[in-house]
Amino acid sequence: MTIRTIGIIGGGQLGRMLAMAAARLNFRTVILEPQADSPAAQVANHQITAAYDDPAALAELGRLCDVVTYEFENVPVSAAETLAASVPVYPPPKALEVAQDRVTEKRFLNASGIETARFHAIDSQADLEAALADFGGEGVLKTRRLGYDGKGQKVYRKGDSAAGGYAVLGSVPLILESFVPFVREVSIIAARNSAGEIRCYDPTENVHRGGILHTSTQPAAITLETARAAREAATKLLDGLSYVGVVGMEFFVLPDGHLIANEIAPRVHNSGHWTEAACIVSQFEQHIRAVASLPLGDTVRHSDCVMTNLIGDDIDSVPAWLAKPNVLVHLYGKTEARPGRKMGHVTEILPFRD
């Protein structure tokens, strides 16, 4: 099948950068997004302004497009499955199903031979109290569904009272994860196409502030063995899901270099934005290549770099960044800066370290 038009569910900055990459490869794009004049729609060929699960909108998207992808993992699984009956949807709906529930995600990773933190499913206050007792009174309580950039979480340390903890996060299905004594956080961006070809970028070292990614640095301060383990875990994940597209996979690094998988994102990922400046083929082009059944591109890094997110009022620093040499500035077309809102990112290219 000849692919000419790619549908993208979601109109945020990731959809925007996917649409830009698609245009470079001569594909048209159609965005499904309820917000008019979304960041992605500003650079796409057409926007369907409707809810992600609107039946008429989904039918129109399927009619207009040769393949459909998505920019965020909270797309309703039912919507993806409905579309998949008439048009290829990549990554497959199964990836959404796994990633949308943190318990399901961890069970899938463990079944695939990928180690995670210890965890308990929490469906009541009694469950929470028992789980905290098992973990010595410590752990991170999270909503099983939704929640990102530090939202939907509560940290428990020894001596903290568990009273009312289940209700604090809304009396919804939760997960309690054990603390991991990590020394750094890393992630890997990997891709698989429908022919089963897999390419991995170098793992990147990440620093978060307030639960939101602040910087991604290349190279990560890890051994070759740890980097190899990250690639092997990503390969297991991609093959296990018969995945098509780009995936982001986050890890904790223990003092001995051992990796503990934290979470997966079945889409292009914030910690992979550095690839547009330090690789010939960015994660965005790689995703388009994968979903369009094209050969995957080279993932070799030609430079060291540091990617910094511009969050909220950080947008005011853009003139200063523009005055620096060897800096790529990428803004997202958002008109209002708010605390915690990602407005853009910058990537500073650095010489290779000796």
Side-chain angles (χ1 to χ4, degrees), residues 190-225:
R192 183 180 187 273
N193 63 15
S194 57
E197 179 187 11
I198 291 176
R199 295 288 181 93
C200 298
Y201 292 92
D202 291 340
T204 186
E205 185 166 341
N206 303 316
V207 173
H208 294 80
R209 289 184 178 176
I212 303 175
L213 181 65
H214 174 54
T215 60
S216 292
T217 299
Q218 284 287 359
I222 57 175
T223 64
L224 292 176
E225 183 179 355

Side-chain angles (χ1 to χ4, degrees), residues 94-348:
K94 174 67 174 177
L96 283 175
E97 184 179 347
V98 168
Q100 285 182 0
D101 185 303
R102 288 184 170 90
V103 169
T104 302
E105 175 186 63
K106 282 183 165 47
R107 287 173 177 164
F108 182 86
L109 290 171
N110 292 166
S112 300
I114 301 168
E115 188 175 355
T116 66
R118 295 175 60 207
F119 65 94
H120 286 291
I122 306 298
D123 294 304
S124 67
Q125 180 65 30
D127 286 346
L128 174 59
E129 292 172 5
L132 279 171
D134 185 40
F135 291 164
E138 298 182 323
V140 183
L141 186 65
K142 302 178 181 179
T143 55
R144 285 176 60 168
R145 291 181 173 271
L146 305 176
Y148 59 94
D149 289 343
K151 300 172 184 176
Q153 300 186 14
K154 179 176 174 56
V155 176
Y156 284 93
R157 303 194 183 278
K158 286 183 178 179
D160 289 348
S161 172
Y166 182 65
V168 165
L169 290 185
S171 299
V172 296
L174 305 174
I175 181 173
L176 184 74
E177 300 175 4
S178 64
F179 279 153
V180 176
F182 65 92
V183 293
R184 57 184 44 86
E185 295 177 83
V186 301
S187 59
I188 191 167
I189 306 300
R192 183 180 187 273
N193 63 15
S194 57
E197 179 187 11
I198 291 176
R199 295 288 181 93
C200 298
Y201 292 92
D202 291 340
T204 186
E205 185 166 341
N206 303 316
V207 173
H208 294 80
R209 289 184 178 176
I212 303 175
L213 181 65
H214 174 54
T215 60
S216 292
T217 299
Q218 284 287 359
I222 57 175
T223 64
L224 292 176
E225 183 179 355
T226 298
R228 186 182 308 113
R231 291 193 294 271
E232 290 173 354
T235 298
K236 289 178 182 178
L237 173 68
L238 292 169
D239 283 339
L241 287 170
S242 298
Y243 197 90
V244 175
V246 160
V247 71
M249 193 171 187
E250 299 180 11
F251 301 91
F252 298 119
V253 184
L254 302 187
D256 63 358
H258 190 72
L259 290 177
I260 300 294
N262 180 24
E263 63 183 24
I264 63 174
R267 53 172 171 79
V268 290
H269 194 260
N270 195 171
S271 69
H273 290 359
W274 64 270
T275 60
E276 68 175 340
C279 299
I280 296 298
V281 176
S282 72
Q283 66 164 340
F284 307 104
E285 180 177 331
Q286 196 79 290
H287 186 80
I288 296 300
R289 287 180 179 227
V291 304
S293 299
L294 297 174
L296 298 182
D298 194 351
T299 55
V300 172
R301 175 171 52 85
H302 58 66
S303 303
D304 289 350
C305 64
V306 178
M307 188 284 301
T308 303
N309 271 332
L310 301 178
I311 299 170
D313 290 341
D314 290 346
I315 193 72
D316 296 335
S317 69
V318 167
W321 282 108
L322 290 171
K324 295 183 178 183
N326 303 319
V327 171
L328 184 150
V329 176
H330 196 137
L331 306 181
Y332 299 156
K334 299 178 181 180
T335 58
E336 181 185 357
R338 298 192 298 266
R341 192 182 198 197
K342 294 174 182 176
M343 303 298 294
H345 68 269
V346 297
T347 306
E348 184 173 9

